[in-house]
Amino acid sequence: AQSVTQLGSHVSVSEGALVLLRCNYSSSVPPYLFWYVQYPNQGLQLLLKYTSAATLVKGINGFEAEFKKSETSFHLTKPSAHMSDAAEYFCAVSRGYSSASKIIFGSGTRLSIRP
Amino acid sequence: GAVVSQHPSWVICKSGTSVKIECRSLDFQATTMFWYRQFPKQSLMLMATSNEGSKATYEQGVEKDKFLINHASLTLSTLTVTSAHPEDSSFYICSAFYGLDQETQYFGPGTRLLVL
């Protein structure tokens, strides 16, 4: 079975500060990992994904994440937060090798940016 | 990138009525689509997997007779909430795999349903 745990339901940082959103996964097979962002009353937008290639993955809007198998982690970072980064962020895992693969979502982390 | 649309974006209905939500893949074919529901301040919960030309696969605990899914074409899946009740009020989101990228789901903008 696969699962995802996001540590911290709410993270608040100052504008210009480092953003770090934590995600740990559990999977019995090599996982595919994703970070999605959701703005209020909108669907999900893919930020980045890990699919067993490079362990450091760069995504849109300056975000990146590093896959660490030894720590079963896939934390999301951004060097300098912008006000527009305020949103809900979801980490997700799938098996990925089948077009019918289900995605399991974490509980989400709400990111707030202080002026 | 892949674009998935949903219609309507929001709907208000009376208790006991049925509501149909459409999910369309724009400019690409989607043999598999997924339907999720999201309660306020919660994560997405998979309701069912919609397969073109065959019956949908429902997750445990989801009433297939209440949430009817039809995937009649490669670009359209519909979710019908039958005899809706206030507890069915939620944010419903669909997703689809895009073309050769069978690794990533692309999500629609969601449909907010309010049952009075």
Side-chain angles (χ1 to χ4, degrees):
Chain A
Q2 295 181 306
S3 66
V4 170
T5 301
Q6 290 185 241
L7 302 176
S9 59
H10 182 211
V11 171
S12 179
V13 302
S14 298
E15 189 174 18
L18 171 71
V19 174
L20 171 61
L21 304 183
R22 301 177 185 273
C23 172
N24 287 90
Y25 70 91
S26 173
S27 178
S28 57
V29 297
Y32 283 22
L33 293 159
F34 309 83
W35 275 100
Y36 285 90
V37 60
Q38 184 180 34
Y39 297 100
N41 297 311
Q42 295 186 28
L44 274 66
Q45 180 182 8
L46 179 68
L47 278 178
L48 50 80
K49 64 180 179 182
Y50 166 78
T51 57
S52 73
T55 57
L56 181 62
V57 181
K58 294 186 183 298
I60 62 172
N61 302 339
F63 285 94
E64 63 181 39
E66 185 172 10
F67 172 72
K68 292 187 177 180
K69 184 178 179 180
S70 61
E71 299 178 7
T72 61
S73 69
F74 190 59
H75 302 331
L76 181 70
T77 60
K78 182 174 181 178
S80 177
H82 293 170
M83 296 300 293
S84 60
D85 295 327
E88 189 84 17
Y89 291 79
F90 292 97
C91 182
V93 63
S94 80
R95 287 181 291 187
Y97 54 81
S98 163
S99 62
S101 289
K102 301 174 186 178
I103 283 185
I104 308 298
F105 285 90
S107 55
T109 298
R110 182 164 61 91
L111 176 64
S112 299
I113 311 296
R114 302 187 300 271
Chain B
V3 177
V4 177
S5 70
Q6 286 184 238
H7 178 80
S9 56
W10 61 271
V11 57
I12 301 174
C13 69
K14 293 182 178 180
S15 184
T17 61
S18 294
V19 175
K20 179 184 286 187
I21 302 170
E22 294 184 347
C23 176
R24 293 183 183 273
S25 56
L26 303 183
D27 299 326
F28 73 97
Q29 296 179 337
T31 55
T32 303
M33 291 182 170
F34 300 88
W35 285 97
Y36 298 82
R37 67 187 298 181
Q38 183 182 30
F39 291 107
K41 301 188 185 301
Q42 295 188 26
S43 188
L44 279 73
M45 298 300 296
L46 180 65
M47 298 176 66
T49 302
S50 173
N51 303 298
E52 187 269 335
S54 64
K55 292 182 178 180
T57 303
Y58 290 82
E59 294 300 299
Q60 189 173 8
V62 177
E63 300 175 60
K64 59 182 65 176
D65 293 332
K66 180 167 189 62
F67 298 100
L68 300 180
I69 291 174
N70 186 297
H71 197 153
S73 77
L74 288 171
T75 60
L76 173 64
S77 175
T78 59
L79 169 68
T80 300
V81 183
T82 62
S83 187
H85 291 287
E87 58 265 30
D88 298 324
S89 299
S90 188
F91 195 48
Y92 293 88
I93 305 176
C94 72
S95 69
F97 285 113
Y98 170 55
L100 296 179
D101 180 0
Q102 295 292 296
E103 303 164 339
T104 307
Q105 293 183 25
Y106 292 86
F107 288 80
T111 296
R112 186 161 301 283
L113 170 63
L114 177 60
V115 184
L116 302 177

